[in-house]
Amino acid sequence: MQFQSRNKVEVGFSMSSMTDLIFLLLIFFMLTSNFITPSGLPVSLPNSKEAPIQQQKISVTITADKQYMINDKTTTLENLKADLEPLLSKGPNADNAVVLHIDKSVPVEYFVNVASIATSLKAKVSIATQPNAQ
């Protein structure tokens, strides 16, 4: 007489605990990553003591050879207002933030021109800096 056990052992492998671990790692790395997208152009930014983090919606860059770019799209000073206007939201709760990435060798006159164009379009203007190395 041959006896058989009522409880049979399954040979399969459950992947549910492995997928839980992978999702936890994914969430951890997403939360600890850097959320600021740097400008794609090589610009030597001025130094500052403290650089608060500004969410970058619209980026205006002036390179050392005085080329203007809006979000990595080349433009000129004459076309800057026309190119910025459709990018800025018109709603009452709109966050019209323009971050200026200006090379430190560019004269202040160029910064003032771009800042005045942005403020005439009711945008909040801030300048990107890099923190001092201490």
Side-chain angles (χ1 to χ4, degrees), residues 77-120:
L77 182 62
E78 293 79 23
N79 297 335
L80 190 65
K81 185 171 185 175
D83 290 342
L84 268 179
E85 215 165 7
L87 296 175
L88 295 171
S89 302
K90 302 292 183 192
N93 296 329
D95 182 27
N96 295 333
V98 175
V99 179
L100 303 178
H101 295 266
I102 301 175
D103 194 279
K104 61 183 173 183
S105 64
V106 174
V108 176
E109 175 186 2
Y110 294 90
F111 163 71
V112 171
N113 288 338
V114 174
S116 65
I117 290 171
T119 53
S120 71

Side-chain angles (χ1 to χ4, degrees), residues 15-128:
M15 290 291 292
S16 63
S17 61
M18 183 68 73
T19 55
D20 290 344
L21 181 66
I22 296 299
F23 282 123
L24 284 174
L25 286 173
L26 178 67
I27 290 170
F28 172 76
F29 286 119
M30 284 175 49
L31 292 177
T32 58
S33 66
N34 193 357
F35 290 109
I36 298 175
T37 56
S39 176
L41 299 171
V43 177
S44 177
L45 296 174
N47 294 333
S48 69
K49 287 185 180 180
E50 189 174 311
I53 297 174
Q54 175 76 26
Q55 184 176 2
Q56 230 172 278
K57 182 178 176 185
I58 301 169
S59 171
V60 178
T61 306
I62 303 176
T63 60
D65 53 348
K66 295 168 189 73
Q67 292 180 344
Y68 294 87
M69 301 195 102
I70 300 175
N71 294 340
D72 300 330
K73 179 187 163 208
T74 306
T75 186
T76 62
L77 182 62
E78 293 79 23
N79 297 335
L80 190 65
K81 185 171 185 175
D83 290 342
L84 268 179
E85 215 165 7
L87 296 175
L88 295 171
S89 302
K90 302 292 183 192
N93 296 329
D95 182 27
N96 295 333
V98 175
V99 179
L100 303 178
H101 295 266
I102 301 175
D103 194 279
K104 61 183 173 183
S105 64
V106 174
V108 176
E109 175 186 2
Y110 294 90
F111 163 71
V112 171
N113 288 338
V114 174
S116 65
I117 290 171
T119 53
S120 71
L121 295 171
K122 307 285 189 248
K124 299 174 190 171
V125 179
S126 62
I127 186 165

